């Protein structure tokens, strides 16, 4: 038997052969195909037909009633993929058009027919028999209403946090009053700090000099205690505490009654510095002008919260500009360290919202390579929320003055624990640059950067920063709670920068014990003011 197939595959002819054992030969054009190849071909087409059947069956299940033939449905499924095209969406265009159309938020005011939950929405859809457009309208209204409520709740949260972080807790106010009274009535609370025989150490560069500027007695006590307790050579440590006039007596009373010997503690108010009493002080003049501009252009917290167009994060940043700390000279004083300590060559500056967990004296062994400021950079690290800050995070690059002078992608660095080479600083114009740009910001109606002293610091120290290991300074414990206790405990210095200060009720409870371990809650002043661990 012979099987003849025409080249066009339209005609097949079977002719008798010489015997069953002879291979059946199929003639296609001038080639011959063996029986074995034909068998495999039939087997392939069998599997192909089964594949087509499965595809069309699934299509019928997914689409319900189908209007295409079996081969047509297969073409719809495989055609676009074989041609490199995307399949068309099954969502009607009217839904896209309706959802994309602008919606006036006032349209939702006073409406009671908008579903409040997904369950209510689905109930209406099932019993209402909505067409595609009605479905899209209802969905858009419900989502928009939810967005409005979420935004309002977020803004209220930021407002409450602003109030909580800006107010002085009554416990801290009580502590200041009790210590001020003790200073008046107890001679031991008025001791000279340091004692006369230790005064020469204040200008001796063989000691390790730390500077802390604070008007918060409790916070300063934690920084001092954590510094001395973790130091391997406390007898070589000198801590210079700078405070304002109103806090000087409570601060002196605390450290007179709670000595940290063998470390040397100096408590000094700003008016005790000769440099501050001579002539004009640029930082004070800038603060006065800055305060006037803020009151004129910010409009207070009510005006900020009333803005309905800005994102909650922007409103939170503006609320933070109203924080008293940004109008405090304590926050600006670091830019005048060379004038305040003319005899010192190097100091480590400490913020009052940090906790020291290791010996900091090795910082003096770091080679600064002629740079002025040793700091941790803030654009690399595992915590992307905290360690992702570049100049564009702080400076307004839509302003031509900023765009002309700086690179938005340049890495930022952190204030809070900084090594300052005062000798190298005195050879620069860093302080002048700082005040120049503060003046430019005031003239620009505070439009050059966000809040705080870090932005002008980033500008003033530009090109003068030596990057140190991030172990020395962990940030963000005051504005995000994703940092684990174990990670924070392993850092050399932890910084509660942000609103959730550890002495406030809004502190993150899992991180607060790292700070409270340096507070003696059995102390009579702490107990009498009801300051508690939690």
């Amino acid at each position: 038997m012979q099987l003849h197939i025409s080249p066009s595959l339209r005609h097949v002819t079977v002719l008798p052969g010489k015997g069953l054992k002879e291979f059946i030969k199929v003639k296609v054009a001038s080639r011959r195909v063996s029986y074995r190849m034909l068998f495999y071909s039939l087997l392939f087409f069998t599997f192909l037909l089964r594949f087509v059947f499965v595809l069309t069956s699934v299509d019928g299940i997914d689409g319900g009633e189908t209007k295409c033939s079996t081969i047509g449905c297969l073409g719809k499924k495989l055609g676009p993929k074989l041609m490199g095209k995307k399949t068309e969406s099954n969502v009607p265009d009217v839904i896209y058009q309706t959802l994309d159309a602008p919606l006036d938020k006032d349209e939702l005011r006073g409406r009671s027919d908008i579903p409040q939950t997904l369950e209510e929405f689905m109930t209406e859809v099932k019993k209402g028999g909505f067409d595609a457009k009605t479905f899209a309208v209802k969905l858009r209204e419900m989502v928009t209403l939810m967005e409005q409520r979420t935004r309002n709740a977020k803004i209220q949260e930021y407002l409450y946090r602003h109030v909580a972080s800006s107010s002085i807790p009554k416990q801290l106010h009580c502590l200041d009053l009790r210590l001020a009274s003790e200073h008046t009535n107890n001679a031991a609370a008025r001791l000279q700090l340091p004692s006369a025989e230790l005064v020469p150490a204040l200008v001796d560069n063989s000691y390790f000099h730390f500077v802390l500027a604070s008007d918060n007695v409790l916070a300063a006590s934690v920084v001092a205690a954590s510094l001395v307790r973790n130091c391997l050579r406390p007898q070589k440590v000198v801590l210079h505490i700078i405070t304002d006039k109103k806090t000087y007596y409570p601060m002196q009373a605390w450290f007179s009654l709670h000595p940290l010997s063998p470390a040397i503690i100096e408590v000094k108010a700003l008016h005790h510095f000769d440099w501050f009493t001579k002539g004009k002080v640029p930082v004070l003049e800038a603060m006065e002008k800055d305060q006037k501009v803020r009151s004129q252009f910010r409009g207070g917290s009510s005006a900020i919260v009333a803005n309905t167009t800005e994102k909650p994060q922007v409103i939170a940043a503006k609320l933070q500009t109203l924080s008293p700390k940004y109008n405090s000279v304590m926050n600006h004083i670091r830019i005048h360290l060379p004038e305040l300590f003319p005899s010192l060559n190097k100091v480590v500056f400490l913020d009052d919202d940090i906790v020291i967990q290791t010996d900091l004296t090795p910082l003096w062994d770091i080679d600064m390579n002629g740079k002025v400021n040793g700091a941790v950079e803030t654009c690399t690290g595992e915590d992307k929320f905290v360690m992702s800050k570049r100049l564009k995070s702080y400076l307004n690059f839509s302003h031509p003055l900023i765009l002309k002078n700086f690179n938005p992608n340049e890495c930022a660095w952190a204030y809070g624990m900084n090594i300052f080479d005062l000798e190298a600083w005195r050879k620069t114009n860093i302080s002048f640059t700082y005040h120049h740009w503060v003046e430019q910001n005031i003239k620009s109606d505070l439009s050059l950067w966000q809040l705080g002293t870090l932005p002008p610091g980033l500008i003033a120290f530009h090109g003068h920063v030596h990057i140190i290991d991030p172990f020395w300074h962990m940030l963000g414990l005051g504005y995000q709670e994703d940092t684990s206790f174990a990670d924070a405990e392993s850092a050399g210095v932890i910084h509660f920068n942000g609103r959730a200060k550890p002495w406030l009720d809004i502190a993150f409870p899992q991180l607060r014990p790292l700070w409270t371990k340096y507070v003696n809650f059995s102390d009579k002043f702490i107990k009498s003011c009801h300051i508690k661990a939690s």
Side-chain angles (χ1 to χ4, degrees):
M1 181 176 67
Q2 291 183 336
L3 177 67
H4 291 276
I5 304 176
S6 68
S8 63
L9 300 179
R10 292 184 178 181
H11 303 285
V12 178
T13 305
V14 180
L15 299 175
K18 295 180 180 180
L20 292 176
K21 293 182 180 180
E22 183 185 29
F23 286 117
I24 297 177
K25 297 180 179 179
V26 181
K27 186 175 182 180
V28 180
S30 60
R31 299 183 181 182
R32 295 179 180 275
V33 181
S34 67
Y35 169 75
R36 187 175 298 169
M37 183 175 290
L38 180 62
F39 173 75
Y40 288 141
S41 299
L42 292 173
L43 189 63
F44 169 75
F45 281 113
T46 301
F47 278 109
L48 181 62
L49 288 173
R50 295 185 64 179
F51 175 68
V52 171
F53 172 76
V54 171
L55 277 181
T56 53
S57 300
V58 171
D59 184 75
I61 294 171
D62 288 342
E65 184 181 351
T66 179
K67 296 182 180 180
C68 59
S69 64
T70 300
I71 301 300
C73 287
L74 180 62
K76 279 187 176 182
K77 279 183 171 290
L78 298 181
K81 295 180 181 179
L82 294 174
M83 298 298 292
K85 298 179 181 178
K86 294 182 178 179
T87 56
E88 295 182 1
S89 171
N90 292 326
V91 179
D93 289 340
V94 66
I95 291 183
Y96 286 126
Q97 294 169 0
T98 304
L99 293 176
D100 196 42
L103 177 64
D104 187 355
K105 295 180 180 180
D106 291 335
E107 293 181 20
L108 305 181
R109 188 170 298 172
R111 294 270 301 274
S112 58
D113 60 328
I114 301 174
Q116 303 296 306
T117 64
L118 180 62
E119 185 179 359
E120 289 184 19
F121 176 74
M122 292 305 300
T123 301
E124 287 192 22
V125 169
K126 289 177 181 178
K127 71 179 182 181
F130 293 160
D131 57 17
K133 183 174 182 179
T134 307
F135 174 87
V137 169
K138 284 287 184 182
L139 180 62
R140 182 183 61 168
E141 290 177 346
M142 186 183 76
V143 172
T144 303
L145 182 64
M146 294 300 177
E147 285 179 346
Q148 288 182 10
R149 290 179 174 175
T150 302
R151 180 184 182 278
N152 292 338
K154 203 69 179 174
I155 290 173
Q156 287 300 314
E157 176 194 352
Y158 288 139
L159 179 61
Y160 295 149
R161 282 187 171 273
H162 163 68
V163 173
S165 62
S166 300
S167 305
I168 301 175
K170 62 181 181 180
Q171 293 92 337
L172 298 188
H173 187 59
C174 166
L175 184 62
D176 282 353
L177 293 177
R178 289 293 302 264
L179 289 169
S181 174
E182 194 74 13
H183 186 275
T184 303
N185 301 318
N186 185 355
R190 298 192 298 271
L191 295 176
Q192 178 184 345
L193 293 175
S195 58
E197 65 272 15
L198 295 176
V199 168
L202 300 179
V203 293
D204 187 342
N205 283 293
S206 67
Y207 285 77
F208 303 106
H209 293 268
F210 297 87
V211 178
L212 168 65
S214 177
D215 57 0
N216 184 329
V217 175
L218 185 61
S221 73
V222 169
V223 175
S226 64
L227 169 66
V228 176
R229 194 182 300 179
N230 289 289
C231 186
L232 298 179
R233 291 177 285 176
Q235 70 278 6
K236 297 295 289 183
V237 166
V238 178
L239 176 60
H240 306 266
I241 299 175
I242 305 173
T243 190
D244 56 16
K245 199 169 186 177
K246 67 178 177 58
T247 316
Y248 171 68
Y249 294 123
M251 193 77 76
Q252 186 190 34
W254 177 269
F255 285 100
S256 295
L257 298 172
H258 303 83
L260 292 170
S261 56
I264 300 169
I265 308 295
E266 178 191 31
V267 177
K268 214 169 183 181
L270 284 174
H271 64 278
H272 293 150
F273 289 90
D274 293 337
W275 176 82
F276 241 78
T277 60
K278 295 177 181 178
K280 295 182 178 180
V281 180
V283 69
L284 297 180
E285 291 183 336
M287 283 177 56
E288 291 174 4
K289 294 177 182 177
D290 181 80
Q291 200 163 7
K292 290 178 182 178
V293 174
R294 287 177 190 274
S295 62
Q296 180 179 353
F297 289 92
R298 298 301 180 185
S301 58
S302 58
I304 293 173
V305 172
N307 191 309
T308 59
T309 59
E310 289 182 322
K311 295 181 179 179
Q313 291 84 352
V314 176
I315 289 177
K318 288 189 173 183
L319 284 172
Q320 201 167 352
T321 63
L322 301 179
S323 175
K325 69 170 288 187
Y326 295 108
N327 293 321
S328 170
V329 70
M330 295 294 103
N331 214 37
H332 293 265
I333 200 62
R334 74 193 85 197
I335 203 62
H336 292 296
L337 289 175
E339 294 90 350
L340 295 175
F341 300 97
S343 301
L344 298 183
N345 298 333
K346 183 181 285 188
V347 300
V348 169
F349 188 88
L350 306 171
D351 276 355
D352 65 1
D353 53 354
I354 68 166
V355 175
I356 298 156
Q357 303 183 130
T358 191
D359 179 21
L360 294 188
T361 58
L363 293 174
W364 267 258
D365 298 327
I366 294 176
D367 184 1
M368 300 273 283
N369 297 316
K371 302 293 186 181
V372 174
N373 179 6
V376 170
E377 65 179 359
T378 56
C379 65
T380 56
E382 295 181 3
D383 193 335
K384 298 300 181 184
F385 184 60
V386 176
M387 303 297 284
S388 61
K389 305 295 190 299
R390 300 182 182 272
L391 292 190
K392 62 185 177 183
S393 306
Y394 299 100
L395 306 180
N396 177 19
F397 279 89
S398 63
H399 197 288
L401 193 59
I402 296 294
L403 185 61
K404 178 183 176 182
N405 290 279
F406 305 101
N407 176 9
N409 293 315
E410 187 173 339
C411 190
W413 46 267
Y415 264 157
M417 198 293 301
N418 301 83
I419 314 164
F420 288 120
D421 186 332
L422 301 184
E423 278 191 303
W425 191 337
R426 295 184 184 102
K427 299 174 184 177
T428 69
N429 60 351
I430 288 174
S431 299
F432 172 81
T433 303
Y434 182 93
H435 294 300
H436 169 75
W437 280 94
V438 168
E439 285 286 343
Q440 292 299 315
N441 192 39
I442 291 172
K443 291 177 181 177
S444 303
D445 300 334
L446 307 181
S447 62
L448 297 187
W449 56 70
Q450 293 183 10
L451 70 163
T453 56
L454 179 56
L458 293 172
I459 294 175
F461 287 100
H462 191 256
H464 298 285
V465 178
H466 175 75
I467 302 304
I468 62 176
D469 193 286
F471 162 78
W472 294 109
H473 192 181
M474 175 181 278
L475 300 157
L477 277 68
Y479 66 84
Q480 63 91 27
E481 54 184 333
D482 292 336
T483 303
S484 69
F485 182 89
D487 287 343
E489 194 176 33
S490 65
V493 174
I494 54 174
H495 194 174
F496 289 84
N497 56 312
R499 293 189 185 89
K501 301 300 184 189
W503 54 83
L504 299 175
D505 291 337
I506 59 174
F508 300 123
Q510 76 276 19
L511 299 175
R512 195 168 186 257
L514 294 168
W515 183 84
T516 56
K517 68 186 290 186
Y518 295 101
V519 179
N520 179 10
F521 292 98
S522 63
D523 179 84
K524 67 174 185 177
F525 297 104
I526 300 295
K527 288 178 66 176
S528 64
C529 290
H530 306 288
I531 298 173
K532 300 179 181 179
S534 59

